[in-house]
Amino acid sequence: MSMAHKKTTYQYLHDKFGDHAPDFELTLKAELVDEIQTLKKTRNAVVLGHNYMEQVLYDTIPDFRGDSLALSRQAAQTDKDVIVFCGVKFMAETAKILNPNKTVLIPSLKAGCSLAESITAGDVRELRKRFPGVPIVSYVNTYADVKAESDVCCTSSNAAQVVRLTLKKWKSDKVIFLPDEFLARNVAQELGVSIIIPKKIASAGTRTARGQLVGWTGRCVVHEQFTTEDIKRVRTEYSDVLVFAHPECSPDVIRASDFSGSTTAMINEVNKHQGKPILLLTECSMGDNIIASNPQTNILRLCMVRCPYMNQITLKDTRDALKYMQYQVHVPENVRVKAEIAVQRMIAI
Ligand code: 13P
Ligand code: SF4
């Protein structure tokens, strides 16, 4: 938020969001924004905001905005004492893994993730027993104990690259890729390798099982909802529409789209196609945030789904996070040390 021309926060919000947000809401949010900005200084805190945050929060309080990878990088670099993560728990945990001596706060304990909840550290240990010597790549959308059992992490912006490099570096003919089934299938499609998704670990076979990628059955509750039928209907109505989809969508949806990439990669792609109608198949706050920063952007609204977890992070809870220093993210040191190896390998790539 640039206040160079000395507008009050309320005036700024009113000018930017006044067309579609009621005045009482903006008044309340302006007060919260001012409080948070003051608390940030008192606590020597940095606020990291994921691209899926609601538009007023996203526009005002984060010192850095971005996708999971960019925010991990920012978390690794900060010299502040306190990191407030306006995102979900696995992201805040990643910040803590990289900054054991800093206080990391998440504004709501309900900000989970269906992918992170789809797999346990015990599941990963079982897979390792089934596939001895096969490297394990875990999506960053996992909890710290799962990362600790993994060899490398990746995000949606570097998943294929991480798998390619892991196959090469480990001199392995296989990689276990956890826990997002669709991302795994999309990576396999991009790399032109075969994939198996065992229904249960017991049926995962052995190291000789066919398939260069061994996946898992996790799904994102947001992205699994988009279908090729949605795309077909929109293309019928808007013949020149460009469809950009997050790689957590199904392989069919990705094949039917014009572009697939991380949240930040999608934003960059939108910026390259100003004026064209664009359909974003991802959490719908992101469309709001793109339009807020560039009202000329022609984003079609297919706002069927908000992420129920990202949606937990509000300005009020962020104010309370800084005011009461809650909720502090803790990662046991033995887990953190192992998880950091996997996260640092990802950052290095
Ligand atoms: P990005 O890394 O693309 O921001 O994705 C995070 C996420 O949770 C998408 O659902
Ligand atoms: Fe998890 Fe999906 Fe929400 Fe991202 S959008 S945080 S993957 S549930």
Side-chain angles (χ1 to χ4, degrees):
M1 177 173 67
S2 164
M3 301 280 286
H5 31 293
K6 289 202 179 70
K7 282 182 190 174
T8 65
T9 306
Y10 166 76
Q11 281 165 345
Y12 172 83
L13 294 184
H14 184 267
D15 289 354
K16 197 152 186 183
F17 303 107
D19 284 348
H20 55 276
D23 211 44
F24 74 89
E25 183 185 326
L26 295 180
T27 308
L28 200 73
K29 287 189 169 174
E31 281 168 19
L32 288 166
V33 169
D34 287 344
E35 254 189 280
I36 291 167
Q37 299 295 19
T38 306
L39 282 162
K40 269 163 66 172
K41 289 196 192 106
T42 321
R43 301 291 195 191
N44 192 28
V46 63
V47 175
L48 305 179
H50 187 262
N51 291 326
Y52 289 164
M53 290 295 102
E54 66 92 3
Q55 57 179 351
V56 175
L57 186 157
Y58 183 81
D59 192 68
T60 52
I61 58 165
D63 299 291
F64 300 100
R65 301 169 183 83
D67 60 10
S68 309
L69 184 62
L71 294 180
S72 300
R73 288 188 196 280
Q74 288 300 340
Q77 282 166 15
T78 185
D79 59 357
K80 300 283 185 187
D81 298 324
V82 176
I83 299 170
V84 182
F85 218 115
C86 290
V88 289
K89 184 180 154 198
F90 73 79
M91 297 177 178
E93 271 190 355
T94 306
K96 184 68 183 178
I97 289 166
L98 294 166
N99 295 281
N101 299 322
K102 295 187 195 295
T103 301
V104 178
L105 303 175
I106 179 124
S108 167
L109 292 175
K110 293 184 192 149
C113 168
S114 62
L115 283 172
E117 273 140 45
S118 72
I119 190 157
T120 66
D123 294 330
V124 187
R125 283 192 291 272
E126 277 301 311
L127 281 166
R128 209 184 269 287
K129 269 194 236 154
R130 289 253 152 208
F131 296 92
V134 175
I136 299 182
V137 173
S138 278
Y139 194 26
V140 76
N141 296 39
T142 45
Y143 291 128
D145 54 349
V146 166
K147 290 186 174 81
E149 299 294 336
S150 309
D151 297 301
V152 197
C153 286
C154 71
T155 71
S156 57
S157 60
N158 61 14
Q161 196 190 357
V162 168
V163 169
R164 196 185 293 116
L165 286 175
T166 305
L167 281 165
K168 200 166 150 198
K169 208 171 144 215
W170 262 258
K171 298 188 176 41
S172 177
D173 59 347
K174 261 194 210 323
V175 163
I176 298 172
F177 186 96
L178 310 170
D180 185 349
E181 177 186 342
F182 286 163
L183 182 61
R185 289 192 186 281
N186 290 325
V187 166
Q189 193 165 273
E190 185 176 338
L191 297 181
V193 301
S194 55
I195 178 166
I196 53 161
I197 308 283
K199 291 269 178 291
K200 291 195 181 103
I201 297 173
S203 65
T206 63
R207 205 182 174 316
T208 54
R210 278 158 23 98
Q212 273 181 281
L213 278 193
V214 178
W216 191 247
T217 50
R219 297 273 179 93
C220 163
V221 289
V222 172
H223 294 95
E224 72 172 347
Q225 296 190 45
F226 298 114
T227 65
T228 50
E229 194 51 38
D230 298 330
I231 300 179
K232 216 163 34 184
R233 284 200 193 126
V234 172
R235 286 203 196 276
T236 307
E237 200 175 336
Y238 302 88
S239 56
D240 57 342
V241 71
L242 292 172
V243 181
F244 300 165
H246 194 276
E248 290 166 12
C249 294
S250 75
D252 287 348
V253 165
I254 299 299
R255 268 191 296 269
S257 303
D258 299 296
F259 175 82
S260 169
S262 77
T263 53
T264 292
M266 289 167 96
I267 294 172
N268 293 340
E269 199 63 19
V270 168
N271 291 335
K272 285 188 211 154
H273 294 92
Q274 290 298 328
K276 282 225 166 195
I278 294 168
L279 176 69
L280 292 180
L281 298 181
T282 193
E283 214 282 348
C284 65
S285 284
M286 207 172 88
D288 291 339
N289 293 336
I290 294 174
I291 292 167
S293 63
N294 185 352
Q296 307 314 318
T297 317
N298 189 4
I299 303 271
L300 301 180
R301 317 319 306 277
L302 187 69
C303 209
M304 304 186 300
V305 274
R306 271 230 67 193
C307 171
Y309 306 104
M310 291 279 183
N311 205 14
Q312 298 295 330
I313 307 296
T314 63
L315 277 172
K316 180 176 172 302
D317 287 345
T318 307
R319 187 274 316 269
D320 288 348
L322 280 161
K323 194 166 169 182
Y324 305 116
M325 296 298 276
Q326 69 189 24
Y327 298 94
Q328 296 200 21
V329 175
H330 297 289
V331 177
E333 187 59 11
N334 59 327
V335 172
R336 191 199 70 76
V337 170
K338 285 165 74 189
E340 187 179 11
I341 297 170
V343 173
Q344 289 290 10
R345 282 181 179 144
M346 167 187 84
I347 290 179
I349 288 168

